[in-house]
Amino acid sequence: MHLSAFEHSKPCYAGGGLVNLMASLGQAFDVPSRHYNPLVFAGAGELATRLCQARTVVLWVVDGLGDSDLRNPVAGALARDRLTALDSVFPATTAAAITTFMTGMAPREHAVTGWFVYLHELGAVTAWLPFGPRVGKGQWARLLPESVELLKRESLFDRMRADAHLIQPKWLINTPYSKATRGRQTRCHGINSLSGLVKRIGSIARSRSRSRRRFVYAYWPDLDSLRHRHGVNSPQAQAEFEHIEAAYRRLLGILAGTDSLLLVTADHGLVDTGEDAIIKLEDHPDLAAMLALPLCGEPRAAYAYLRPGTEADFDAYVSEHLGDVCAALPSADMLASGWFGPGPEHPQLRRRIGDRVLLPASGWVIKDRLPGEEQFNQIGVHGGGSYAERQVPLISPVL
């Protein structure tokens, strides 16, 4: 079966993706990108001018907000101010995309390839954002202080000719990942609510400061969390979406007259899955026996590390037993064809994408389970290359 039948397709990195948004932002703050084009769409030139002229530029990332969400009748002002759709990165997931926001790099260059990443340097499958072992509650940064160096990526914020501000929930401010990617000079603001986020953006935009311009990166995670737990179109997610629309409207009023430019986008969208659409590795012991490591990456894009000599048997098993609901692509082929983006290749990248990428059909996931792990219980999922997961909106009002 062709991959297109599973609704996976390669994201755009040439001018219509998150890397290009960050290239445009970098250019506006005197950090031209060496490897990525700025945005290309019908209104890109006007946006570039506004970016260069605004005193304060705000990038608000709403985790889990897909472009298709703007068809929701509640999305009044958000839909009205939509400029275009952007492609996320591959995999279309928080760990990879947020690292692109922070660094301006595609996954090919930053090598954050999913929630679970095999770190050869530690000899362990690691949950990247908590930065700890896949099973257990520890953090590598606490157990092995030098391991935090593995998180280090050159922060785009440090290179901008601007006063940079980071706004996110308080529980995220001092995580190893946040401290390693936000830059050395960025001013951090922890908030407890969506209204707190709006007020903090407003206070920064309205404050009298030094002569330099300001860049504000704000992050809100609750829509994604609720969709994981309850589903994409659940009442809980719908209520949160209404709160986001209301917060956006309040923010427009607060920013009016402040010489500010507001951008709203997301890291990825989501699709729903169900109990009858989970490929459980425990049900396929012959397939599991060919693996040298637990599955890494995402349930919608899993990296399989194979025991030497099992490649042909692995491909044949997936084709025969799972071919209607899952494709297995050589990781090296996906890298060569540009799924992980352009730019220099991170020296550890090939070790972090395994031998095969398992891409389940629309709405399907593939999961293994290690001792001590709970059963997979997410309803909303992401990480694949479907339109709903990959396409996010770019929203910007004229204030």
Side-chain angles (χ1 to χ4, degrees):
M1 184 175 289
H2 293 293
L3 188 59
S4 59
F6 293 157
E7 299 184 16
H8 294 282
S9 57
K10 181 173 62 178
C12 173
Y13 298 98
L18 295 184
V19 290
N20 311 109
L21 169 63
M22 299 315 294
S24 291
L25 281 165
Q27 189 175 68
F29 287 102
D30 299 323
V31 190
S33 175
R34 292 169 292 176
H35 308 295
Y36 312 107
N37 299 325
L39 285 170
V40 178
F41 67 96
E46 180 183 352
L47 179 61
T49 300
R50 293 169 59 209
L51 282 170
C52 290
Q53 294 176 345
R55 171 72 173 164
T56 302
V57 175
V58 180
L59 177 63
W60 178 15
V61 175
V62 181
D63 197 324
L65 179 69
D67 188 57
S68 58
D69 288 324
L70 298 195
R71 293 196 292 267
N72 189 321
V74 174
L78 289 168
R80 178 198 66 204
D81 295 337
R82 174 188 179 274
L83 299 181
T84 189
L86 298 179
D87 265 2
S88 184
V89 297
F90 182 81
T93 189
T94 303
I98 294 297
T99 306
T100 291
F101 285 124
M102 294 293 199
T103 65
M105 302 173 186
R108 180 184 177 95
E109 188 172 4
H110 64 55
V112 179
T113 56
W115 181 263
F116 290 130
V117 180
Y118 171 63
L119 292 182
H120 176 81
E121 305 94 314
L122 295 178
V125 177
T126 295
W128 188 264
L129 292 182
F131 199 55
R134 173 171 169 176
V135 179
K137 298 182 180 179
Q139 288 182 333
W140 297 129
R142 295 175 180 173
L143 305 175
L144 303 166
E146 66 274 17
S147 69
V148 76
E149 294 298 319
L150 301 176
L151 285 168
K152 288 293 177 68
R153 298 292 178 274
E154 185 181 13
S155 174
L156 178 62
F157 302 171
D158 267 353
R159 292 180 284 142
M160 287 178 167
R161 190 171 294 179
D163 292 331
H165 297 260
L166 172 70
I167 301 172
Q168 59 185 181
K170 284 183 177 180
W171 61 269
L172 283 173
I173 285 290
N174 289 315
T175 62
Y177 176 84
S178 291
K179 289 191 290 186
T181 56
R182 68 194 180 204
R184 298 179 302 277
Q185 305 301 321
T186 301
R187 303 178 193 180
C188 300
H189 309 268
I191 47 93
N192 292 318
S193 64
L194 191 54
S195 61
L197 179 144
V198 170
K199 290 177 182 178
R200 189 56 59 94
I201 291 174
S203 66
I204 294 171
R206 291 186 171 278
S207 66
R208 295 182 179 180
S209 67
R210 294 169 291 179
S211 59
R212 294 215 308 173
R213 299 169 68 206
R214 290 171 291 214
F215 173 70
V216 181
Y217 174 89
Y219 171 74
W220 185 248
D222 284 17
L223 181 64
D224 176 74
S225 300
L226 289 167
R227 286 178 158 173
H228 278 310
R229 193 176 311 126
H230 302 289
V232 173
N233 297 311
S234 63
Q236 295 88 342
Q238 176 68 9
E240 177 63 16
F241 187 84
E242 293 175 9
H243 295 156
I244 291 167
E245 166 72 17
Y248 178 73
R249 289 176 178 272
R250 290 198 304 273
L251 189 55
L252 298 188
I254 290 171
L255 292 180
T258 64
D259 191 14
S260 298
L261 186 148
L262 172 64
L263 298 167
V264 180
T265 191
D267 47 354
H268 59 76
L270 293 92
V271 295
D272 280 344
T273 190
E275 183 61 32
D276 57 350
I278 302 174
I279 305 167
K280 298 179 180 179
L281 207 59
E282 63 196 63
D283 295 334
H284 300 274
D286 291 341
L287 191 68
M290 300 182 213
L291 297 179
L293 290 172
L295 293 176
C296 296
E298 300 282 338
R300 292 278 297 142
Y303 305 119
Y305 292 77
L306 305 183
R307 292 170 51 207
T310 63
E311 293 83 359
D313 289 340
F314 184 89
D315 293 342
Y317 187 99
V318 172
S319 178
E320 180 180 353
H321 298 279
L322 300 173
D324 290 340
V325 294
C326 188
L329 280 68
S331 303
D333 290 355
M334 294 190 70
L335 178 59
S337 61
W339 281 73
F340 295 93
E345 182 180 320
H346 189 285
Q348 295 295 331
L349 178 62
R350 291 175 188 257
R351 284 173 163 163
R352 296 182 183 179
I353 58 176
D355 302 293
R356 297 290 186 273
V357 182
L358 296 169
L359 294 173
S362 181
W364 284 73
V365 295
I366 184 166
K367 279 293 297 178
D368 56 359
R369 181 172 175 269
L370 302 186
E373 284 187 321
E374 296 181 356
Q375 291 286 351
F376 181 79
N377 59 5
Q378 291 184 349
I379 300 175
V381 292
H382 55 76
S386 71
Y387 174 90
E389 295 162 278
R390 196 183 76 244
Q391 295 249 288
V392 298
L394 178 62
I395 299 162
S396 185
V398 177
L399 297 169

